[in-house]
Each structure stands twice: as C-alpha cells, then as structure tokens.
Amino acid sequence: MLTTCQGCPRTLARMNRIYISSVIFKNYKAFSRFSLSLHDTNILVGPNNSGKSTIIGAFRVLAAGLRRARARNPERVLIGETAYPGYILEPSLLPISTENVHTDYAEVDSSIDFRLSNGNVLHIHFPQRGGCALVPEATRKRIASPTSFESEFPISVSVVPVLGPLEHEEALVKLATVQRNLHTHLASRHFRSFWFYYPQGFDEFADLVAETWPGMEVERPEQSDETVLMFCREKRMTRELFWAGFGFQIWCQLLTHISRARDESILSYR
C-alpha cells in the first residue's frame, strides 16, 4: 500500500491550495500510457508488479528535481529538436536507475507530467539517448531563477525511504552524512544522529510517540564516546532503543519522517 498525502489543511491554505492534480506517464516502465488523478489523500493498492513502486519512484524523481530547481537557475535543455529552460538531473541526483525507464526497453522518449491545480506543469523527460531533465511549464511567468520557480510551483515533496532496523551501536556521523542519506535506505543507520543534530523538533516527535504508542516515551539522544544513544521508557523501565523491538523502531522512524515533513505539501510512503 502506498499513501500520498498532499499536506495538512493549514499547509494547503498557506500555499493557496496549489497541489498536484494529476500525473501522466508515457512510455515509462510498465506504463506505455497511464494517468491518475490525485486528491488530498490517495491510497494505491494492488498485487505485485502492478505499478505501485513505479508511481512512488516518480515522486522520488520529482523530489530530486524540485531540490535542484530551488538551488540554481534553469539551463538550456534540448527536448527533441527544441530547447527549453530546465534542469539536467545527473544520475547521482536520481533515486532510480534510468537504464530501464523506457517501456519494454524500446528506443523511445519517456516522460512523466505532474499537473498542478494552478495550471502549471512539471515535465520530467527521459530521452531515448539517456539522461533525465526537469522542464517547468508556467502559464503566467517565465522561469528564470529559483525565486520565480518557487512562486509558480509552490509545492514540496517528502518521500519516506525504505525503513529498516536500527544499528546496535550507531556511530555519530557528521551532519553532512545525515543530510545526504536522509532520503535513502541508509537513513535507518543514522536515526539517532538525525535527532542529535536536529533537537529543535524532538519534543514534537516525542509527543507523537507518546500519543500513538501508549506506555512508551523516548528521550533525547546523547553522545557516548564516538556513538550516539537514545533511550526509551516503557512502564518505568528504561532501555536503549535497539532493545525496544523492531516494530517500535520502525514506528519511531516513520513518525520522524512525518514530523520532519510537517511543512511539506506532499508526503509519500509505502
């Protein structure tokens, strides 16, 4: 199951309820032609190999493209024989492999179009020659800077990565390492380090834990030599988070990503 939440009412009101209204796939993996309409909360269910992971992977690519567009000015992107202002997304920026994005490995261009409720469109192109590019299409304003992009595409995407068990002895890594792996499967390895570097949101996270897992409380992480520890209390018994059980570890990670994405307009997880 994949749930895509397009923000809380407070976030949507602040953004004038601009949201992604539909997604259109063309020659992309299993979808030779497929579209879906989105609402505030969307749940996709289906058997294996029905395309659920393909859809969430598209949102992961969009998240990478949005980060690039908000960090630099657009450049000249060639789509077919026409040049557009856009953003080249290098393989190192993408959370997917581009080797198998073309339907049935055909020598055709592939694309994903994210249509916004304000009429603007974010085109993600995968040319048959290889590569990936994000091309914004705005109806009112020319996109020439991160500021103009932000004004026409006021959406943000947070994707919960694959969650796994916590490290028995988690090394306190550098902040840059935590940030680099925040959207990847390696995030589980740096769970305690994340809260060590971002204590300002910990109280809200701890409240969520207490509200949703009766009888459990979590304490702020603390450094011990070159490792970082986080303790939890259950019925007056205190123990390190590693010994609290796999289910509780996963729940704490999920709440961490939900708490971290409280100002995002889109949260996707499975």
Side-chain angles (χ1 to χ4, degrees):
M1 181 177 71
L2 162 66
T3 303
T4 303
C5 301
Q6 299 220 59
C8 63
R10 180 178 59 184
T11 300
L12 292 174
R14 184 172 64 250
M15 295 184 174
N16 296 320
R17 287 195 60 84
I18 295 176
Y19 56 92
I20 296 177
S21 58
S22 64
V23 187
I24 300 173
F25 298 88
K26 184 177 181 181
N27 299 321
Y28 182 79
K29 295 196 173 186
F31 301 137
S32 57
R33 184 76 181 183
F34 180 74
S35 64
L36 69 158
S37 299
L38 299 178
H39 305 281
D40 284 356
T41 300
N42 308 271
I43 301 177
L44 303 178
V45 294
N48 291 337
N49 298 318
S50 61
K52 301 186 301 297
S53 295
T54 296
I55 293 172
I56 194 172
F59 279 95
R60 293 179 187 274
V61 175
L62 176 61
L66 291 174
R67 289 193 293 271
R68 170 55 64 95
R70 292 194 170 95
R72 61 174 60 185
N73 293 337
E75 55 190 305
R76 184 174 178 270
V77 174
L78 190 63
I79 304 297
E81 302 297 326
T82 307
Y84 301 90
Y87 309 88
I88 301 295
L89 304 181
E90 294 86 0
S92 60
L93 299 175
L94 297 176
I96 65 168
S97 171
T98 59
E99 295 179 357
N100 64 339
V101 298
H102 308 290
T103 302
D104 296 330
Y105 298 95
E107 294 184 357
V108 295
D109 292 347
S110 302
S111 65
I112 311 170
D113 293 344
F114 294 88
R115 298 186 180 277
L116 275 62
S117 58
N118 62 358
N120 294 341
V121 185
L122 289 166
H123 304 278
I124 297 180
H125 294 274
F126 299 89
Q128 64 178 41
R129 64 179 183 276
C132 178
L134 170 67
V135 175
E137 179 186 344
T139 58
R140 298 183 306 169
K141 182 184 297 184
R142 177 176 175 269
I143 305 301
S145 67
T147 300
S148 58
F149 181 90
E150 177 73 28
S151 67
E152 291 300 306
F153 299 93
I155 60 170
S156 53
V157 178
S158 182
V159 180
V160 178
V162 175
L163 306 178
L166 301 183
E167 297 287 296
H168 184 192
E169 296 182 354
E170 180 180 322
L172 181 60
V173 297
K174 295 181 179 179
L175 175 59
T177 302
V178 174
Q179 294 173 332
R180 183 173 62 251
N181 295 320
L182 193 58
H183 304 283
T184 75
H185 67 283
L186 297 177
S188 296
R189 300 183 60 182
H190 310 313
F191 172 77
R192 303 173 185 85
S193 296
F194 171 83
W195 284 119
F196 182 85
Y197 287 115
Y198 293 96
Q200 64 275 12
F202 186 83
D203 289 342
E204 181 178 350
F205 159 69
D207 289 342
L208 280 175
V209 173
E211 292 171 5
T212 58
W213 197 291
M216 291 291 282
E217 299 178 9
V218 291
E219 300 177 354
R220 290 176 178 271
E222 56 188 65
Q223 185 175 1
S224 177
D225 296 326
E226 296 182 355
T227 64
V228 58
L229 305 173
M230 182 182 290
F231 292 92
C232 61
R233 294 193 304 275
E234 182 178 17
K235 298 179 180 179
R236 301 181 182 178
M237 180 178 294
T238 300
R239 51 187 166 178
E240 214 283 323
L241 197 55
F242 177 80
W243 301 107
F246 180 63
F248 186 67
Q249 293 177 25
I250 293 296
W251 189 247
C252 285
Q253 293 176 69
L254 180 58
L255 292 185
T256 293
H257 288 286
I258 292 175
S259 175
R260 182 182 59 82
R262 62 185 179 276
D263 292 326
E264 306 283 354
S265 54
I266 301 171
L267 172 65
S268 298
Y269 66 93
R270 64 175 180 173

